[in-house]
Amino acid sequence: MAKTILAVDDSGSLRQMVVFSLKAAGYKVTEAVDGQDGLEKAKAEVFDLVLTDQNMPRMDGLTLIRSLRTLPAYQSVPILMLTTEASDEMKQKGRAAGANGWLVKPFDPQRLTEVVKKVIG
């Protein structure tokens, strides 16, 4: 059975690239348009990995991560940030919120699939 990934980003074109790359690598990907949508989908289905942007309307990535980490089903699920935010301060905030890794946009599709494979197989 394919591993499931929740891809959260307010950019439709970026979600398309992420979905295309990860589906080609054999993963099942569900899209969410922002953090609030991602949280609702994560409550409805437990994913093997969450990939989230930081800057989104309604709920940003750090708030999404903190919210997911309060849910028993998501206390050990890997969460990766995929964002334009690359400062050490922001990465530290991501780690403190519960992020397991950080990828900076624009991303290399091959690098993305390598990292995802390393994290969830």
Side-chain angles (χ1 to χ4, degrees):
M1 193 162 131
K3 300 273 185 166
T4 57
I5 298 171
L6 177 62
V8 186
D9 199 302
D10 60 328
S11 167
S13 59
L14 189 101
R15 282 196 318 272
Q16 281 185 327
M17 290 175 54
V18 168
V19 169
F20 179 80
S21 300
L22 295 176
K23 282 188 173 178
Y27 298 103
K28 180 182 173 204
V29 184
T30 298
E31 298 176 55
V33 298
D34 58 36
Q36 184 63 45
D37 187 31
L39 182 59
E40 290 166 11
K41 289 181 175 171
K43 286 180 176 176
E45 176 184 351
V46 178
F47 295 91
D48 295 305
L49 179 136
V50 176
L51 187 64
T52 183
D53 186 16
Q54 165 55 20
N55 300 311
M56 299 178 285
R58 298 201 308 158
M59 180 186 291
D60 65 30
L62 292 176
T63 304
L64 172 62
I65 293 170
R66 287 187 203 103
S67 299
L68 289 173
R69 291 301 188 209
T70 66
L71 303 174
Y74 283 92
Q75 290 184 353
S76 62
V77 169
I79 301 174
L80 300 176
M81 295 288 293
L82 177 60
T83 179
T84 56
E85 301 280 350
S87 70
D88 289 339
E89 179 186 354
M90 186 56 81
K91 289 178 182 176
Q92 181 58 37
K93 287 181 180 177
R95 278 191 289 273
N100 299 93
W102 202 277
L103 295 164
V104 178
K105 296 177 189 174
F107 72 98
D108 172 13
Q110 184 174 351
R111 175 78 179 129
L112 174 66
T113 55
E114 287 172 0
V115 170
V116 169
K117 186 173 184 176
K118 187 175 181 179
V119 173
I120 61 171

